[in-house]
Amino acid sequence: MAVDAEQILGEATVPSSPLVRPPRKRGAAVLSVFAENKLALAGLVIIVLVVLFCFLGPVFYSTNQVSSNLAISGLAPSASHPLGTDNVGYDELGRLMAGGQSSIEIGFAAAAIASVLGVLWGAVSGYFGGIVDTVMMRIVDAFLALPVLFVLLLMAAIVKVNAFNLTLVVALFSWLVPARLIRGETLSLRTREYIQAVRGMGGGAGRSIFLHVIPNAIGTIVVNITFQVADAILVLATLGYLGFGIPPPAANWGSMLSQGVTYLYSGYWWLIYPVGGLIILTVMAFNLVGDALRDAFDVRLQRR
Amino acid sequence: MRMSLARRAGALSLALASGVTLVGFGSGALAGTSAASTAKASSGSGTITFALPPTVTPDYIFPFMTAQYLTNVNLYQFQQIMYRPLYWFGQGNSPTFNATLSMANAPVFSNGGKTVTITMKNYKWADGKPVTARDVIFWMNIVKAEKSVYPLYVPGEYPDNIVKMAAPSPTKVVFTLDKAYSSTWFLYNELSQITPLPQQAWDKESATGAVGNYDESPAGAAAVYKFLAQQSATPATYATNPLWKVVDGPFELKSFQTTGYSVFVPNPKYSGPVKAKYSQLIEQPFTTDSAEFSSLRAGTLDYGYIPTQDTSQIPLLKSQGYTSSPWIGWSINYFPMNYNNPKVGPIFKQLYFRQSVQYMVDQPTDVKKALFGYGYPTYGPVPIEPKNSLSTAQEASNPYPFNPKKSASLLKSHGWNVKPGGTTTCAKAGTGASDCGAGITKGEALSFNLQYASGQTYITQEMQQLKSNLAQVGVQLNLTSAPFNTVIANAAPCKVGPSCTWQMENWGQGWSYGPDYYPTGESIFATGSGINEGSYSNTVNDANINATHTVSGTKVLDTYENYLASQLPDVWQPNPDFQVSEIRNTLKGVVQSPLLNFTPEYWTTSK
């Protein structure tokens, strides 16, 4: 309904003229701008390839990632182990796939939780304003003031480290940024005519927030999710690197990199460069896509 | 003592300094004293920085330690620098009695071996007072009053076997024993535990109280112990508390951080044969072996170690002015299972189960791939390295070589439903020959918690491999890691009950024999001993151990070790070299005793 209202208002303000390009559908406009960004397309391709590598790869290249085999540890790349083996004998290529699965799964899950929480928090805070906004934003400020890595390490040390708990730990500190962003959006949106109209017709706060505010902030939300995924993967890698990743036999890229660095002086390059490259590539790809989405949702660019 | 240090050497000699051959080791190597005599004279200045093992930090200064503090670092690399034991062991690379560094002359046994007379040498405390027989009696009184918390206490043995003691003069101590013992065993394993304490400064019940003779009554001795233990429980005050300034060793503590970072300076009143000729000894703690190696590469350490996974870098360090020297300890390696855990203890008590687990420990592969060859297997209670004639042929071979089929077969034949990759459960509860065993219920699963020491890569590798190996027969290991000191503290003997919760603890380096230097095992395997972590109890083993204390010759030792090697009181695992030392070429006089005690007063630096 709100979108319709906005479209009506939009149509009313755009003069009908042969010199003015007729307005495109929003989705098509977004896609069009996105498609113009070659880096974004490259990022998207990388993400798809990484996801395929991690989730479909094991179908074509099956390895034992549950039982270690010290007898074949530290083998250099060869025909039987294209990326060699790690320090307990896991096939490194298979390990990259397994580690990628957990990194991506937890990254997406943490980003989803953080986004939902952040969007709701920011929307409620911005919509009601006043004392509610003050209290809710001070809570956000308080969390933002904490040294994130220190707290994450503390929590990872306290709770039993598994995929579920790790997701919650990462999400706990990831919702703050979307909360602030959405709050800012909401402060602007709540003054729009269609929100005023809903209020005037007796619509409640829930209706305004869920049916009008959040849908109209979808651009910001989507863009933020991509950055959240990238950040979550990076945080997971950091935690894993510092020894707080999911314990073996489960794999994660951060722990793999940390383990590889231990053997830096032994010349086990295959334990460092492939996993390091994958982390960089994946995080970069999500950031490229996020940047492009931000542009794509920018109305001014859509009207070029 | 948990953790150890030693040096790769040729054959060892285990002969008494008096020249009496104790056991059939090879000839001895460079003695500590001779090392010092050949050391280059120094200017009396300079700092030497020594790297502590990863995550192992000094955390107790009072020489009477409870089990949780009984580590090699606390004893050898911290306390004994300041408070020397009555008798010193280790001459160069030989684990033998060292008369030169001892604070008393060799004990004289009389009255058919039931009376021991000890004559003190002319040592002095830092406050100028002599180290006397009274200081020995002071230690004895505290041990007798607090034997329940004394970690090396074995019921019926030290200090119970000393039924009467006297100090007829300031330089003479006379012990009357309950029966005649092997003089070698009594010196190497009983008198070796004594550390004279400064009675004139420490015999008090509070910080503000006067010094007295409180230790002469059991209640007074307990109060003195309580006070000293309390003082020792606050590491932040180690360098400032006046108590700890009264030392008789070659160094005193100048500063101490709770991280374990310690700075020692020479004790000007030290009255031993050699005084330190440099200004400071720093002990540097590390949280991981990689961090230590980074410091070594940066050249900030004079005496460090190279992690086994980085030994390919030895030539690089050589080019930076370091000499590599593996340090092999007089030690065995194992990790305990808690027989008194109310939940899983009944399973651990089954010999077939322990055998089944031992069959899944692939020690040769662990040594080759995790230790990069810098270690050797443990197959029984007597070290097989350094080469010696105390370990039997049976122990040198592997009674339980890696064999998943035999492991599974043992479980199946005792009523377990083996599920490779899953969880094996008890199908036939009962006490018959083909049943799971007493206290094990039908459906009970073979799933255990194992905590191991963090910071050292090889332990993680071995534990991950053991987990995978045991999974092949459906035994689930739930691995967690914690700092060494935490693991040691958790692995305390406990009585059956709800608070006796630990199941398996692995601090990674088992036991290095000291101050029970003769490897008769009473400290760690006898029923009720203070550091028998898992509370292993076996009457045949107890009898075998007791026989080694009174009967001369190695035959009784052979009987003891062959029996215990097959009984598997703990899980035997590969024994790493204490460390692969990297010693700066400008540091001279270093002798790496297999007993892990060290004598930094002999070191010199021309840096």
Side-chain angles (χ1 to χ4, degrees), chain A residues 112-138:
Chain A
I113 293 171
S115 296
V116 168
L117 183 60
V119 165
L120 289 177
W121 192 277
V124 169
S125 176
Y127 184 83
F128 286 105
I131 185 72
V132 174
D133 181 43
T134 303
V135 171
M136 291 179 80
M137 281 301 111
R138 292 302 77 74

Side-chain angles (χ1 to χ4, degrees), chain B residues 228-289:
Chain B
L228 294 172
Q230 279 174 347
Q231 297 297 301
S232 191
T234 51
T237 64
Y238 283 176
T240 53
N241 190 328
L243 279 175
W244 314 128
K245 300 280 185 192
V246 188
V247 302
D248 60 358
F251 289 87
E252 59 187 28
L253 194 58
K254 180 187 175 191
S255 67
F256 182 81
Q257 297 174 15
T258 51
T259 56
Y261 183 89
S262 317
V263 180
F264 297 91
V265 293
N267 168 17
K269 298 276 177 59
Y270 178 59
S271 36
V274 172
K275 290 185 180 179
K277 299 181 184 70
Y278 54 98
S279 58
Q280 284 194 136
L281 170 65
I282 294 174
E283 292 188 350
Q284 172 82 51
F286 290 94
T287 53
T288 65
D289 52 7

